[in-house]
PDB file of all heavy atoms in Angstrom:
ATOM      1  N   ASP D 350     -12.030  41.683  11.632  1.00  0.00           N
ATOM      2  CA  ASP D 350     -10.823  41.072  12.214  1.00  0.00           C
ATOM      3  C   ASP D 350      -9.872  40.555  11.158  1.00  0.00           C
ATOM      4  O   ASP D 350      -8.872  39.933  11.501  1.00  0.00           O
ATOM      5  CB  ASP D 350     -11.217  39.994  13.212  1.00  0.00           C
ATOM      6  CG  ASP D 350     -11.717  38.728  12.563  1.00  0.00           C
ATOM      7  OD1 ASP D 350     -12.083  38.769  11.367  1.00  0.00           O
ATOM      8  OD2 ASP D 350     -11.738  37.689  13.265  1.00  0.00           O
ATOM      9  N   SER D 351     -10.168  40.729   9.892  1.00  0.00           N
ATOM     10  CA  SER D 351      -9.296  40.259   8.807  1.00  0.00           C
ATOM     11  C   SER D 351      -8.783  41.455   8.018  1.00  0.00           C
ATOM     12  O   SER D 351      -9.382  41.833   7.003  1.00  0.00           O
ATOM     13  CB  SER D 351     -10.026  39.281   7.895  1.00  0.00           C
ATOM     14  OG  SER D 351      -9.195  38.767   6.894  1.00  0.00           O
ATOM     15  N   LYS D 352      -7.753  42.087   8.523  1.00  0.00           N
ATOM     16  CA  LYS D 352      -7.247  43.305   7.901  1.00  0.00           C
ATOM     17  C   LYS D 352      -6.409  43.031   6.648  1.00  0.00           C
ATOM     18  O   LYS D 352      -6.074  41.851   6.349  1.00  0.00           O
ATOM     19  CB  LYS D 352      -6.336  44.082   8.895  1.00  0.00           C
ATOM     20  CG  LYS D 352      -6.954  44.368  10.232  1.00  0.00           C
ATOM     21  CD  LYS D 352      -8.147  45.320  10.167  1.00  0.00           C
ATOM     22  CE  LYS D 352      -8.592  45.717  11.543  1.00  0.00           C
ATOM     23  NZ  LYS D 352      -9.906  46.431  11.499  1.00  0.00           N
ATOM     24  N   VAL D 353      -6.092  44.054   5.919  1.00  0.00           N
ATOM     25  CA  VAL D 353      -5.122  43.990   4.820  1.00  0.00           C
ATOM     26  C   VAL D 353      -3.912  44.871   5.182  1.00  0.00           C
ATOM     27  O   VAL D 353      -4.019  45.760   6.000  1.00  0.00           O
ATOM     28  CB  VAL D 353      -5.745  44.462   3.487  1.00  0.00           C
ATOM     29  CG1 VAL D 353      -6.782  43.477   3.016  1.00  0.00           C
ATOM     30  CG2 VAL D 353      -6.383  45.839   3.644  1.00  0.00           C
ATOM     31  N   MET D 354      -2.775  44.553   4.575  1.00  0.00           N
ATOM     32  CA  MET D 354      -1.553  45.200   4.950  1.00  0.00           C
ATOM     33  C   MET D 354      -1.590  46.718   4.673  1.00  0.00           C
ATOM     34  O   MET D 354      -0.898  47.512   5.346  1.00  0.00           O
ATOM     35  CB  MET D 354      -0.312  44.564   4.291  1.00  0.00           C
ATOM     36  CG  MET D 354      -0.265  44.810   2.788  1.00  0.00           C
ATOM     37  SD  MET D 354       1.376  44.292   2.095  1.00  0.00           S
ATOM     38  CE  MET D 354       1.434  42.592   2.567  1.00  0.00           C
ATOM     39  N   GLU D 355      -2.378  47.132   3.702  1.00  0.00           N
ATOM     40  CA  GLU D 355      -2.466  48.581   3.412  1.00  0.00           C
ATOM     41  C   GLU D 355      -3.000  49.342   4.592  1.00  0.00           C
ATOM     42  O   GLU D 355      -2.725  50.544   4.782  1.00  0.00           O
ATOM     43  CB  GLU D 355      -3.350  48.839   2.191  1.00  0.00           C
ATOM     44  CG  GLU D 355      -2.851  48.254   0.891  1.00  0.00           C
ATOM     45  CD  GLU D 355      -3.430  46.877   0.624  1.00  0.00           C
ATOM     46  OE1 GLU D 355      -3.651  46.085   1.583  1.00  0.00           O
ATOM     47  OE2 GLU D 355      -3.662  46.571  -0.569  1.00  0.00           O
ATOM     48  N   ILE D 356      -3.807  48.668   5.452  1.00  0.00           N
ATOM     49  CA  ILE D 356      -4.367  49.280   6.640  1.00  0.00           C
ATOM     50  C   ILE D 356      -3.534  48.950   7.878  1.00  0.00           C
ATOM     51  O   ILE D 356      -3.109  49.808   8.607  1.00  0.00           O
ATOM     52  CB  ILE D 356      -5.818  48.815   6.841  1.00  0.00           C
ATOM     53  CG1 ILE D 356      -6.684  49.314   5.698  1.00  0.00           C
ATOM     54  CG2 ILE D 356      -6.376  49.346   8.169  1.00  0.00           C
ATOM     55  CD1 ILE D 356      -8.120  48.738   5.718  1.00  0.00           C
ATOM     56  N   SER D 357      -3.231  47.655   8.059  1.00  0.00           N
ATOM     57  CA  SER D 357      -2.556  47.234   9.304  1.00  0.00           C
ATOM     58  C   SER D 357      -1.108  47.764   9.400  1.00  0.00           C
ATOM     59  O   SER D 357      -0.595  47.899  10.535  1.00  0.00           O
ATOM     60  CB  SER D 357      -2.568  45.731   9.426  1.00  0.00           C
ATOM     61  OG  SER D 357      -1.886  45.143   8.318  1.00  0.00           O
ATOM     62  N   SER D 358      -0.523  48.086   8.261  1.00  0.00           N
ATOM     63  CA  SER D 358       0.901  48.576   8.303  1.00  0.00           C
ATOM     64  C   SER D 358       0.932  50.020   8.802  1.00  0.00           C
ATOM     65  O   SER D 358       2.048  50.515   9.099  1.00  0.00           O
ATOM     66  CB  SER D 358       1.536  48.434   6.965  1.00  0.00           C
ATOM     67  OG  SER D 358       0.881  49.257   5.997  1.00  0.00           O
ATOM     68  N   VAL D 359      -0.156  50.713   8.825  1.00  0.00           N
ATOM     69  CA  VAL D 359      -0.197  52.112   9.245  1.00  0.00           C
ATOM     70  C   VAL D 359      -0.403  52.151  10.756  1.00  0.00           C
ATOM     71  O   VAL D 359      -1.508  51.904  11.268  1.00  0.00           O
ATOM     72  CB  VAL D 359      -1.331  52.877   8.528  1.00  0.00           C
ATOM     73  CG1 VAL D 359      -1.297  54.362   8.954  1.00  0.00           C
ATOM     74  CG2 VAL D 359      -1.167  52.757   7.022  1.00  0.00           C
ATOM     75  N   THR D 360       0.627  52.478  11.467  1.00  0.00           N
ATOM     76  CA  THR D 360       0.600  52.419  12.981  1.00  0.00           C
ATOM     77  C   THR D 360       0.567  53.791  13.627  1.00  0.00           C
ATOM     78  O   THR D 360       0.258  53.896  14.807  1.00  0.00           O
ATOM     79  CB  THR D 360       1.843  51.657  13.490  1.00  0.00           C
ATOM     80  OG1 THR D 360       3.052  52.283  12.974  1.00  0.00           O
ATOM     81  CG2 THR D 360       1.789  50.214  12.991  1.00  0.00           C
ATOM     82  N   ASP D 361       0.841  54.854  12.892  1.00  0.00           N
ATOM     83  CA  ASP D 361       0.772  56.188  13.466  1.00  0.00           C
ATOM     84  C   ASP D 361      -0.676  56.627  13.555  1.00  0.00           C
ATOM     85  O   ASP D 361      -1.373  56.718  12.537  1.00  0.00           O
ATOM     86  CB  ASP D 361       1.526  57.175  12.547  1.00  0.00           C
ATOM     87  CG  ASP D 361       1.537  58.618  13.051  1.00  0.00           C
ATOM     88  OD1 ASP D 361       0.848  58.889  14.062  1.00  0.00           O
ATOM     89  OD2 ASP D 361       2.202  59.433  12.431  1.00  0.00           O
ATOM     90  N   PRO D 362      -1.183  56.859  14.784  1.00  0.00           N
ATOM     91  CA  PRO D 362      -2.609  57.230  14.935  1.00  0.00           C
ATOM     92  C   PRO D 362      -3.022  58.457  14.118  1.00  0.00           C
ATOM     93  O   PRO D 362      -4.171  58.539  13.659  1.00  0.00           O
ATOM     94  CB  PRO D 362      -2.727  57.457  16.447  1.00  0.00           C
ATOM     95  CG  PRO D 362      -1.657  56.698  17.053  1.00  0.00           C
ATOM     96  CD  PRO D 362      -0.521  56.723  16.072  1.00  0.00           C
TER      97      PRO D 362
END
Side-chain angles (χ1 to χ4, degrees):
D350 73 343
S351 183
K352 306 294 188 192
V353 290
M354 68 168 60
E355 297 94 324
I356 296 173
S357 60
S358 64
V359 182
T360 56
D361 181 354

